[in-house]
């Protein structure tokens, strides 16, 4: 496959990828749905009339929407037909777009001239806790080595409901929050700026397919048709606030201060060449959580930290999606097992993705081992947790045995200083 | 104040109430916004042109929407003007509607001929844990009398994020869920139908006002302009599933199986005559949680349980909103303290509202004291938890010193048997 759009072999967005996003640009102030190709965006709003396959010819309106929900709400065969249509339109042998200079002019926008937006109305966002290394690390730090993993952990893909309103697109700054903490056990709580501000390296899956009904279950074996595609996610976390508030109902204000996602949704179709063995599960889960097929992905993940005072970013973690113990099919089955309904555009976060070595951990909490082992950055700064002005950049990409590379672009955000409270 | 619409003195919906809802009827299959008056609904879609006050004359379109979000997204002065306009239109001295038989015919729908719908797109739903009696009861049952209240409880209005998609309107049946439980501590978990199915007597507040930005806080003193009005809520809970899953991230599938709300939103303006002293707080909270004014409400709450086999419902609990330790202003301040943004239509649940006597508890868990004290119903049935076919009916109403009564209507739901899982 070769496109008439030229791009570097290191591009995140070759013709094999074709992730979906929502953008505005100087050409169009209204939000349009687009697909990334090299350094360009193909504006699907402009070329919606070219989706003439049997399934989509009566559904072209979904490409005219300002969000991806309507397209996500179709079915996998629709998504596959859309992908084939776009690949064909971009193929070097296809002249429809290539030789129509007026249409080409309208249909392509430079990514660097576009502003990206949250690509869907996220009706509900859940976040899981599916990395065994992350859960074990946190367990050791807070409960000791003996009881590191909660007793339910290998039976249930543990998750909780998060906040949809504060999901923001990559590039949006995050403000260090004020909140309550308990600096000394048994003493009085303190109110002030968070002192243990952290990132969490995650990926998140957008739900697609027609909405389900309240009371309907989607077991793991049937989950695939509900999975649209993935983005990178930084689940910013105020560790000291979390520690004081989370018993007994879980994290709340420590997490709802902002959650960043990358703008391009890489589809399951694009990720299929990078499927690898599922993580071995030493306790056989209940049947509703079982699926026989491989549904784990070799997605290389990196975290850069760039202090405000330095032009140099340091790669502080190299992890991989494949380290997750629970698959996204199992997460989805857990989400719905008691009858919770799904809507296209819902988002399932993976939880922090940590590997089994100390350079592959997905949070400052683990990388600095609760602040006991400061990280040294390339500019010689030290970090236990995030400092004001730090920019955190998540990256993810896959390479197959033939060297074909697809990527997720960046998920980045800068931490701004706390804003004093007026009372 | 007297309306030309006649109603009984025991009606939940006198001219002093005027709650908002969304309905369809044989006359209109599209969703319309309406206001309850006696046994009727005034269809605001039909009379939107009569909102000619200075603030609303250019905003009449909000009454043509299919949901209340746009109206909620205006400001308190708009809401007050709308209330005055509706009260005037319904007043016995006003002839505009009263004497226009054609308009009257179109503008009024019998409640019993209408179908009610969830009144707003609920972007995010949070649930709190603000009844000191409920939290204490649960604490005694699960952690013993010494440590009944978590140490953070009197400092933080504890809350967590819930599931928006499965919020359903009163009358929607709820299916007993399947899920994982741990019948014996330390033994193997079990998968099957929930055995400890419960209701939770709650109220919930819809958020109004223009959306806030990520990073923006709304402290308790400034919270009032964000509070639109209240509904009754039944936060159906699978206790055995909850117990096994909730450590460490909080309740998840035990709660997202369905949450019922009553269809009529009773506004803060209607509730003002029923404001009473706030619950005494023996630990002074941090300044962001303080407000000097009274913002507690004398709302009498009742729970009826009607077995399928019996025509007779038994009132199993009599509680009151005023038993809440934390006010809704304090809940809202907590929701936003780290910068979580709000959207009109967001919903804040109060948590189970239990009084200090055993006949005022807001859940079967407490009423039967974990199953140790079965309740006897009027038909001589016994109940520890809910049985298949049970209908739970929540009611709420206020009466002021002059005998003026406003109510919330019913929030009811029937528990259907579990549906076996196909694997």
């Amino acid at each position: 496959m070769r496109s008439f759009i030229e791009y570097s072999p290191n591009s995140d967005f070759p013709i094999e990828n074709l992730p979906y996003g929502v953008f505005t640009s100087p050409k169009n102030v209204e939000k349009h749905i687009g697909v990334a190709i090299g350094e360009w965006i193909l504006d699907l709003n402009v070329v919606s009339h070219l989706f003439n396959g049997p399934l989509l010819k009566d559904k072209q309106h979904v490409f005219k929407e300002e969000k991806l929900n309507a397209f996500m709400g179709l079915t996998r065969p629709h998504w596959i037909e859309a992908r084939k249509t776009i690949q064909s339109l971009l193929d070097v042998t296809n002249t429809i777009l290539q030789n129509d200079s007026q249409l080409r002019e309208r249909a392509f926008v430079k990514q660097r001239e576009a502003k990206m937006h949250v690509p869907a109305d996220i009706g509900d966002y859940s976040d899981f806790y599916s990395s065994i290394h992350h859960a074990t690390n946190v367990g050791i730090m807070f409960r000791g080595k003996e009881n590191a993993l909660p007793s339910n952990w290998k039976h249930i893909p543990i998750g909780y409901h998060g906040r949809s309103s504060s999901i923001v697109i990559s590039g949006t700054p995050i403000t260090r929050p004020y909140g309550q903490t308990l600096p000394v056990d048994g003493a009085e709580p303190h109110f002030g700026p968070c002192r243990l501000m952290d990132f969490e390296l995650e990926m998140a899956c957008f739900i697609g397919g027609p909405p389900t009904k309240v009371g309907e279950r989607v077991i793991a074996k049937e989950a695939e048709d509900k999975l649209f595609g993935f983005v990178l996610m930084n689940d910013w976390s105020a560790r000291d606030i979390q520690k004081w508030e989370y018993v007994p109902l879980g994290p709340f204000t420590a997490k709802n201060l902002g959650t960043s996602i990358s703008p391009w949704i890489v589809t399951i179709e694009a990720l299929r060449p990078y499927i690898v063995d599922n993580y071995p599960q030493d306790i056989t889960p209940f049947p509703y959580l079982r699926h026989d097929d491989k549904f784990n992905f070799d997605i290389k993940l990196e975290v850069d930290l760039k202090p405000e005072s330095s032009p140099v970013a340091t790669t502080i973690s190299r992890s991989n999606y494949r380290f997750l113990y629970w698959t996204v099919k199992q997460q989805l089955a857990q989400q719905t097992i008691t009858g919770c309904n799904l809507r296209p555009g819902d988002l399932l976060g993976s939880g922090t993705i940590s590997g089994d070595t100390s350079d592959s951990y997905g949070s400052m909490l683990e990388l600095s081992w609760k602040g006991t082992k400061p990280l040294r950055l390339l500019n010689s700064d030290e970090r236990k947790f995030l400092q004001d002005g730090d920019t955190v950049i998540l990256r993810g990409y896959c390479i197959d045995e033939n060297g074909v590379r697809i990527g997720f672009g960046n998920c980045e955000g800068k931490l701004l200083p706390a804003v004093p409270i007026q009372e």
Side-chain angles (χ1 to χ4, degrees), chain A:
Chain A
M1 241 177 326
R2 219 186 107 215
S3 175
F4 62 86
I5 301 286
E6 289 182 10
Y7 46 77
S8 124
N10 292 321
S11 171
D12 276 351
F13 308 121
I15 193 167
E16 290 84 0
N17 192 350
L18 303 181
Y20 295 94
V22 165
F23 70 102
T24 48
S25 74
K27 282 192 216 174
N28 57 296
V29 294
E30 283 180 4
K31 289 176 186 168
H32 282 191
I33 292 171
V35 157
I37 178 77
E39 295 175 4
W40 296 87
I41 299 170
L42 172 61
D43 186 336
L44 298 194
N45 184 301
V46 171
V47 299
S48 64
H49 61 288
L50 299 178
F51 288 85
N52 284 318
L55 296 175
L56 288 169
K57 64 177 192 298
D58 299 326
K59 304 278 186 191
Q60 294 171 353
H61 62 91
V62 301
F63 301 111
K64 292 281 191 187
E65 300 282 335
E66 295 205 331
K67 297 275 180 176
L68 276 158
N69 299 71
F71 179 55
M72 290 169 163
L74 301 177
T75 68
R76 184 163 304 284
H78 291 87
W79 307 332
I80 290 173
E81 186 178 296
R83 179 173 168 82
K84 284 187 180 154
T85 302
I86 297 164
Q87 273 184 335
S88 164
L89 287 171
L90 292 172
D91 196 274
V92 70
T93 63
N94 187 323
T95 57
I96 298 176
L97 257 174
Q98 195 175 181
N99 292 359
D100 184 337
S101 60
Q102 282 194 335
L103 183 58
R104 246 181 100 158
E105 174 63 28
R106 291 197 303 125
F108 286 96
V109 176
K110 275 266 182 200
Q111 283 171 32
R112 66 163 186 269
E113 291 169 5
K115 180 174 157 52
M116 302 304 297
H117 302 272
V118 174
D121 284 329
I122 300 169
D124 279 289
Y125 151 52
S126 300
D127 200 15
F128 287 82
Y129 188 52
S130 291
S131 156
I132 193 165
H133 305 303
H134 171 68
T136 304
N137 287 339
V138 172
I140 292 172
M141 280 187 254
F142 293 103
R143 286 179 296 270
K145 210 154 189 168
E146 300 300 303
N147 303 302
L149 273 189
S151 58
N152 53 16
W153 200 91
K154 287 189 175 178
H155 297 281
I156 300 177
I158 294 289
Y160 69 109
H161 297 121
R163 181 84 186 178
S164 295
S165 71
S166 50
I167 295 176
V168 299
I169 202 71
S170 174
T172 309
I174 297 291
T175 304
R176 181 185 295 271
Y178 271 68
Q180 286 193 40
T181 58
L182 190 72
V184 181
D185 284 347
E188 287 301 298
H190 173 82
F191 179 75
C194 165
R195 283 177 282 200
L196 305 180
M197 192 64 192
D198 206 349
F199 70 90
E200 288 192 331
L201 168 63
E202 300 200 21
M203 297 198 69
C205 184
F206 275 99
I207 299 300
T212 63
K213 294 200 178 79
V214 177
E216 195 175 329
R217 293 174 287 236
V218 182
I219 62 174
K221 280 193 184 73
E222 297 164 357
E224 190 157 326
D225 285 346
K226 297 294 177 193
L227 304 172
F228 182 79
F230 283 93
V231 291
L232 301 167
M233 186 164 94
N234 181 347
D235 184 26
W236 302 88
S237 297
R239 297 289 177 202
D240 44 355
I241 295 171
Q242 183 176 346
K243 193 179 168 205
W244 172 229
E245 77 174 355
Y246 91 106
V247 173
L249 298 186
F252 186 48
T253 67
K255 297 283 193 171
N256 66 21
L257 55 101
T259 307
S260 306
I261 59 172
S262 57
W264 294 109
I265 308 175
V266 177
T267 63
I268 300 295
E269 303 321 315
L271 288 168
R272 282 194 196 282
Y274 310 97
I275 285 180
V276 291
D277 286 347
N278 301 329
Y279 199 96
Q281 298 187 327
D282 48 346
I283 293 180
T284 304
F286 284 112
Y288 78 92
L289 291 170
R290 291 181 207 157
H291 60 95
D292 298 330
D293 58 327
K294 296 182 189 182
F295 211 74
N296 195 7
F297 301 94
D298 180 13
I299 305 171
K300 295 165 213 323
L301 300 170
E302 296 172 354
V303 183
D304 278 10
L305 193 159
K306 197 187 91 51
E308 190 162 39
S309 59
S310 167
V312 185
T314 305
T315 301
I316 57 173
S317 178
R318 289 186 171 83
S319 185
N320 196 305
Y321 182 88
R322 67 190 299 170
F323 294 142
L324 291 177
Y325 183 92
W326 296 103
T327 70
V328 68
K329 290 186 175 183
Q330 294 177 314
Q331 291 170 344
L332 186 75
Q334 187 61 27
Q335 176 75 61
T336 66
I337 186 58
T338 55
C340 176
N341 56 322
L342 302 170
R343 296 177 291 191
D346 286 349
L347 195 65
L348 302 187
S350 62
T352 307
I353 306 173
S354 294
D356 56 357
T357 57
S358 59
D359 56 354
S360 64
Y361 294 163
S363 65
M364 293 301 289
L365 178 70
E366 294 163 271
L367 289 164
S368 78
W369 205 255
K370 223 174 155 182
T372 60
K373 297 176 182 171
L375 290 185
R376 184 168 293 274
L377 306 181
L378 291 175
N379 72 341
S380 298
D381 274 14
E382 281 197 347
R383 286 289 182 284
K384 297 174 178 173
F385 288 88
L386 298 177
Q387 289 191 7
D388 291 345
D390 284 353
T391 297
V392 177
I393 304 146
L394 313 184
R395 284 189 304 274
Y397 59 96
C398 310
I399 300 179
D400 74 7
E401 60 266 32
N402 304 316
V404 176
R405 179 191 191 283
I406 68 170
F408 286 77
N410 286 3
C411 175
E412 67 176 80
K414 182 175 179 175
L415 181 63
L416 303 182
V419 177
I421 191 164
Q422 310 292 331
E423 284 160 337

